[in-house]
Structures are given as structure tokens and as C-alpha cells.
Amino acid sequence: DSPWKAEITSFGAKKPYTINDKVELLDRFSILLNKIPGRVDLRDPEHVVALLEDYAADRYASSKSTSQPLGDANDTGGPRHVYIGRKLADGAGAPHGLLQRYSLSERPFVGRTCMPP
């Protein structure tokens, strides 16, 4: 049984989490999380369980324009969907991800193919 931890992420709205908010949210899903084998290890887990709150699911489906700015989580009244799953990889925007790796400002030399026409 491998050690694991849970991470909470929201998208579609700016949602700051305090420690108490995180504990309360994880307590709501304790029925599912308690079934995960292994012990909880916040410092060096082998597996990460991701809890994703989706605040934008309905907004963009019913909107004529997808360029609608993202709102505040307090305006929506709560997430439209909550997804729970195993985190497999970090995205391109993660620290040391693809965006940082190929950033023009981090390159030692910027050639003419990097500049706009």
C-alpha cells in the first residue's frame, strides 16, 4: 500500500482555499477517500489524488461567446462538477513545465524564427 495525498484545484473561477476550507472539503468526500489503500503522507507521497472543482462547465456551454471572462467563485454559488481521480502528470503551466522550458525570456539566444513577422 503506497502513501498518497490529496490536492484540491478549482478552475473556471478564482477560489482561494484556507486550510479549514480544504479540511472541510476533504471531509465531505471522506467516504470515497477512506477507501484508498495506504497511508496519507503529505511530504513524500507516491500517488496524488486530485479533487477538481469545475466552476465553468455550464457557463461556456450555454454562452454564445467563449471569450467570457472567468468570474469569482463566490458569484457562481458552487462548482458545477467535482472530479476525483489520480493525478498522472503536471500540466504545461506547472513549475518547470513546458511553458517555462520554452519561454523566450529564459532562452540564452533568441533567433529570428522566435520573433513575430
Side-chain angles (χ1 to χ4, degrees), residues 8 16-28:
I8 301 170
Y17 291 104
T18 64
I19 296 295
N20 292 335
D21 292 339
K22 290 180 182 182
V23 169
E24 181 182 328
L25 187 59
L26 292 174
D27 281 344
R28 277 195 246 153

Side-chain angles (χ1 to χ4, degrees), residues 20-102:
N20 292 335
D21 292 339
K22 290 180 182 182
V23 169
E24 181 182 328
L25 187 59
L26 292 174
D27 281 344
R28 277 195 246 153
F29 292 97
S30 64
I31 293 172
L32 296 173
L33 295 174
N34 288 337
K35 293 180 181 182
I36 299 173
R39 62 184 171 79
V40 175
D41 185 352
L42 301 178
R43 293 186 192 267
D44 190 28
E46 287 184 30
H47 304 284
V48 177
V49 175
L51 192 141
L52 306 171
E53 292 184 312
D54 183 0
Y55 286 89
D58 289 347
R59 248 189 297 175
Y60 294 120
S62 63
S63 174
K64 291 181 182 177
S65 170
T66 58
S67 63
Q68 178 180 355
L70 298 178
D72 185 13
N74 297 329
D75 296 340
T76 63
R80 301 295 187 247
H81 300 284
V82 177
Y83 305 99
I84 298 177
R86 182 175 172 202
K87 184 176 178 180
L88 300 177
D90 287 323
H96 309 298
L98 293 176
L99 292 179
Q100 285 76 22
R101 183 176 180 186
Y102 294 111

